[in-house]
């Protein structure tokens, strides 16, 4: 067992004029996650502590937050592997704080909806299913694995200064459907992302890639879409 101090961002807009940090010192052991530590603090120290969670298996993305200088999933982040006596926890950046570590995802999902994040199949619609060969599926790659945790959005410098920017997660999803052989609106999808607030606003800093818990690279997906747009323009 080892004593670790959790320094947690706190803010309740109905009670607080400004955010502040609360310190909680608890004992942790090997295998304890940051999320488990927050559960313990909520149960034994302060039941008003607010944070999101769901699957607790690094699948849903609900517990994404800023932990010791980096956006991570609290459920998969081992406390002792951070090698620090103090664990500083803050909410996702660039999104309004509703309370403590809970942020408002409204603008995130509004931008996400703009890229039409769903398959629009080709005509004629088959009776059973669209046939896709393995080599066609391989073009989609691992872009399908995005869990919309928002870590990339919080790490993106452009998202912090431009609320109309689609954001890394939305643009990654756009490229996922552009690469799908079953989709029928390639030109429309390229028109949507070929925008001042779309792919051309990305500065290719690769912060999104650095924090993605699924090891995806929205920045590379954006570069591929830029290439497709330029090829269309030239041809």
């Amino acid at each position: 067992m080892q004593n670790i101090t959790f320094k947690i961002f706190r803010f309740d807009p109905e009670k607080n004029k400004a955010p502040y940090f609360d310190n909680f010192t608890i004992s942790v052991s090997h295998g304890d996650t940051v999320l488990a530590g927050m559960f313990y603090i909520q149960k034994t120290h302060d039941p008003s502590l607010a944070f999101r969670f769901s699957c607790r298996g690094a699948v849903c993305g609900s517990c994404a937050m800023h932990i010791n200088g980096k956006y991570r999933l609290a459920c998969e982040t081992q406390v002792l592997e951070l090698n620090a006596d103090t664990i500083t926890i803050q909410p996702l950046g660039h999104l309004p704080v509703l309370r403590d570590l809970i942020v408002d995802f409204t603008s995130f999902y509004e931008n996400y909806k703009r890229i039409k994040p769903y398959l629009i199949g080709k005509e004629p619609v088959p009776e059973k299913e669209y046939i896709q060969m393995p080599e066609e599926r391989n073009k989609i790659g691992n872009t399908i694995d995005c869990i919309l945790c928002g870590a990339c959005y919080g790490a993106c410098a452009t998202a912090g200064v431009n609320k109309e920017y689609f954001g890394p997660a939305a643009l990654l999803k756009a490229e996922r459907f552009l690469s799908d052989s079953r989709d029928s609106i390639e030109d429309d999808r390229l028109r949507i992302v070929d925008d001042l607030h779309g792919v051309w606003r990305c500065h290719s800093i690769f912060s999104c890639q650095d924090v993605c818990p699924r090891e995806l690279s929205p920045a590379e997906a954006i570069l591929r879409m830029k290439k497709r747009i330029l090829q269309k323009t030239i041809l």
Side-chain angles (χ1 to χ4, degrees):
M1 301 291 285
Q2 182 177 336
N3 287 337
I4 299 291
T5 297
F6 278 58
K7 182 180 179 181
I8 304 177
F9 178 98
R10 307 299 301 275
F11 180 61
D12 185 341
E14 295 183 359
K15 299 179 180 179
N16 309 129
K17 292 183 179 180
Y20 63 98
F21 283 93
D22 249 354
N23 292 333
F24 304 92
T25 300
I26 63 174
S27 295
V28 301
S29 58
H30 180 73
D32 287 338
T33 64
V34 170
L35 184 62
M38 292 196 297
F39 279 137
Y40 182 80
I41 291 169
Q42 189 184 60
K43 181 178 180 180
T44 63
H45 290 67
D46 187 349
S48 71
L49 177 62
F51 54 90
R52 283 195 178 104
F53 72 94
S54 186
C55 71
R56 289 176 277 188
V59 175
C60 72
S62 299
C63 64
M65 53 193 72
H66 194 266
I67 303 171
N68 273 24
K70 184 177 179 178
Y71 291 100
R72 316 170 194 261
L73 297 182
C75 69
E76 70 172 359
T77 303
Q78 302 282 314
V79 176
L80 297 182
E81 289 184 3
L82 293 173
N83 296 316
D85 294 328
T86 300
I87 309 299
T88 302
I89 307 171
Q90 302 177 76
L92 288 174
H94 315 325
L95 295 168
V97 176
L98 296 176
R99 180 175 163 189
D100 297 342
L101 301 170
I102 298 176
V103 296
D104 186 348
F105 270 89
T106 299
S107 60
F108 176 89
Y109 279 110
E110 284 178 348
N111 285 325
Y112 179 67
K113 291 176 183 176
R114 290 163 63 192
I115 58 94
K116 299 183 179 181
Y118 42 84
L119 185 75
I120 299 178
K122 295 178 178 179
E123 297 288 348
V125 178
E127 292 185 10
K128 293 184 178 180
E129 61 189 18
Y130 288 100
I131 302 298
Q132 188 175 56
M133 302 306 291
E135 57 269 21
E136 293 173 325
R137 171 58 183 85
N138 290 339
K139 291 180 181 179
I140 300 174
N142 60 1
T143 56
I144 201 170
D145 295 335
C146 174
I147 56 176
L148 297 175
C149 65
C152 61
Y153 190 88
C156 177
T158 301
V161 297
N162 184 352
K163 297 304 179 184
E164 294 186 69
Y165 176 52
F166 285 52
L171 290 170
L172 176 74
K173 189 66 72 171
E175 209 265 339
R176 172 257 181 275
F177 287 106
L178 276 167
S179 300
D180 197 320
S181 61
R182 300 165 296 180
D183 195 73
S184 64
I185 59 165
E186 176 185 358
D187 290 343
D188 191 30
R189 293 192 187 282
L190 287 176
R191 178 189 57 78
I192 292 171
V193 300
D194 183 14
D195 184 88
L196 186 61
H197 304 296
V199 295
W200 306 111
R201 185 57 64 188
C202 174
H203 295 168
S204 301
I205 300 174
F206 287 87
S207 298
C208 51
Q209 175 177 304
D210 185 50
V211 301
C212 179
R214 306 309 292 268
E215 298 183 351
L216 307 178
S217 180
E220 290 184 1
I222 292 168
L223 288 172
R224 289 194 292 269
M225 285 189 287
K226 288 179 178 179
K227 181 178 179 181
R228 291 178 74 146
I229 292 168
L230 292 174
Q231 287 176 332
K232 284 272 185 179
T233 302
I234 294 171
L235 295 175

